């Protein structure tokens, strides 16, 4: 299925590049000229193996008996196609969400409560004396990281991943610069569960965004009922939001997102490609519906 989906787009992109280089129409028959050392299927497999296991270009070149530069060129061609696929929709084969607007429209139509959370991945430290070097230093992890935002449904199935920002940026700032506040204004019926990092968003949209309750002052010295009530409310909100943490953990099983050693400029493309592939598998999980407590008459009895 993935081959059938990407093969026409890859061929169209290659033909567009050839036409741009020769600046004219094709002069020879299709198929003439030098042949690819790796056909499309091999290029796709090389890219998938690299994204899943993190094998180097040199190791993959030894496996396929080609040079590492050919492997790098193949990954550079296939990875953008994987990143632009969008995210699979549960119970909707063929429908994919590519933008934040699509996610909120889908949530409004299906009456889904979104789960939003940030994710940080360690990256290489920028060279000394370069502008913006401190922008990647995360205040939470004390490492050079890149931050992304994940949106999932109530079963931890990834619906969207994006808002790629340097690790120093706050979680709430990352999604605000992506335009999430405008989406809440346009879809007032959409609700979301977030953590403490998005408390400002919850304050702005109290009827739509649910954040953990603030800790009351002197809660340890206060009444036992108040202390228990705060902890129980926080626990319940956390249990409703934990599924997005599972979505992030599912993405972290792929080696490049455990610690990214490539160029920081390609991290966003790599993350979207992996998240799109993970969403394909997650969308196949059956939807769990809440059981109804309404009493149903099974059969009529005669007195």
């Amino acid at each position: 299925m993935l081959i059938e989906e990407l093969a026409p787009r890859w061929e169209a992109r290659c033909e567009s590049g050839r036409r741009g280089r020769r600046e004219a129409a094709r002069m020879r028959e299709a198929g003439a000229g030098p042949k690819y050392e790796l056909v499309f299927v091999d290029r796709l497999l090389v890219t998938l193996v690299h994204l899943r296991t993190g094998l180097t270009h040199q190791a993959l070149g030894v496996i396929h008996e080609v040079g590492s530069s050919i492997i790098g060129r193949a990954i550079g061609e296939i990875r953008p196609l994987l990143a632009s696929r969008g995210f699979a929709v549960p119970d909707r084969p063929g429908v994919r969400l590519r933008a934040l607007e699509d996610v909120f429209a889908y949530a409004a139509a299906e009456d889904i409560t979104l789960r939003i959370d940030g994710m940080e991945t360690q990256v290489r430290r920028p060279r000394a004396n370069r502008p913006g070097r401190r922008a990647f230093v995360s205040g939470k992890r004390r490492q050079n990281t890149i931050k992304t935002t994940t949106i999932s449904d109530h079963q931890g199935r990834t619906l969207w991943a994006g808002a790629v920002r340097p690790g120093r940026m706050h979680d709430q700032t990352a999604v605000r610069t992506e335009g999430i506040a405008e989406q809440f204004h346009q879809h007032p019926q959409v609700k979301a569960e977030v953590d403490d990092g998005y408390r400002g968003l919850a304050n702005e949209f109290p009827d739509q965004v649910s954040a953990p309750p603030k800790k009351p002052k002197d809660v340890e010295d206060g009444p036992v009922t108040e202390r228990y009530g705060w902890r129980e409310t926080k626990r319940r909100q956390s249990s409703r939001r934990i599924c997005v943490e599972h979505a992030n953990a599912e993405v972290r099983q792929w080696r490049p997102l455990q610690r990214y050693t490539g160029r920081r400029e390609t991290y966003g493309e790599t993350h979207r490609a992996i998240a799109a592939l993970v969403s394909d598998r997650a969308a196949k999980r059956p939807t769990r519906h809440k059981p109804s407590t309404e009493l149903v008459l099974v059969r009529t009895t005669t007195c």
Side-chain angles (χ1 to χ4, degrees), residues 287-298:
T287 302
R288 298 193 303 267
H289 299 282
K290 294 182 179 180
S292 175
T293 57
E294 182 180 358
L295 294 179
V296 180
L297 186 62
V298 179

Side-chain angles (χ1 to χ4, degrees), residues 63-277:
I63 295 174
H64 291 270
E65 298 181 350
V66 295
S68 59
S69 60
I70 296 178
I71 298 295
R73 192 179 306 115
I75 294 175
E77 292 177 359
I78 302 300
R79 186 174 53 200
L81 300 180
L82 294 173
S84 61
R85 293 177 61 234
F87 304 91
V89 178
D91 304 326
R92 296 290 188 274
V95 179
R96 305 193 72 86
L97 307 175
R98 291 181 171 83
L100 198 59
E101 294 81 358
D102 301 338
V103 178
F104 274 78
Y106 166 73
E110 300 292 335
D111 191 22
I112 294 177
T113 301
L114 302 176
R115 273 70 173 177
I116 306 175
D117 191 29
M119 171 181 168
E120 292 187 52
T121 303
Q122 185 179 358
V123 296
R124 288 181 175 179
R125 185 181 185 184
R127 290 185 178 181
N129 302 324
R130 284 197 173 184
R133 190 187 187 205
R134 296 182 58 189
F136 292 92
V137 180
S138 171
K140 180 172 64 176
R141 298 187 59 179
R142 303 298 180 184
Q143 294 175 338
N144 289 268
T145 63
I146 289 182
K147 180 172 297 182
T148 54
T149 302
T150 304
I151 299 179
S152 74
D153 62 0
H154 62 286
Q155 289 186 213
R157 298 175 294 194
T158 302
L159 301 178
W160 184 81
V164 182
R165 300 292 188 274
R168 194 177 185 87
M169 184 177 292
H170 197 274
D171 292 351
Q172 183 175 231
T173 307
V175 295
R176 283 186 179 275
T177 54
E178 197 71 17
I180 194 170
E182 288 76 7
Q183 295 304 316
F184 278 115
H185 282 297
Q186 295 179 10
H187 302 87
Q189 70 274 29
V190 175
K191 300 183 183 301
E193 300 282 347
V194 298
D195 60 1
D196 288 317
Y198 303 92
R199 186 171 299 280
L201 202 64
N203 293 337
E204 183 177 355
F205 303 96
D207 298 331
Q208 296 177 256
V209 182
S210 173
K214 288 185 178 180
K215 186 176 181 180
K217 295 182 178 179
D218 302 329
V219 65
E220 300 299 335
D221 300 332
V224 177
T225 55
E226 182 179 355
R227 186 190 321 157
Y228 175 80
W230 168 71
R231 291 178 178 174
E232 182 64 18
T233 304
K234 187 175 181 179
R235 185 194 65 81
R236 291 184 180 183
Q237 199 275 344
S238 178
S239 65
R240 294 193 304 266
R241 192 195 58 83
I242 195 63
C243 50
V244 70
E245 301 284 358
H246 298 161
N248 285 335
E250 197 171 8
V251 172
R252 288 194 183 278
Q253 294 177 3
W254 295 60
R255 183 63 180 177
L257 297 189
Q258 296 175 10
R259 183 181 184 275
Y260 192 71
T261 57
R263 297 177 62 88
R264 293 183 302 277
E265 293 78 6
T266 62
Y267 174 82
E269 191 175 83
T270 302
H271 187 100
R272 287 191 297 269
I274 292 175
L277 293 170

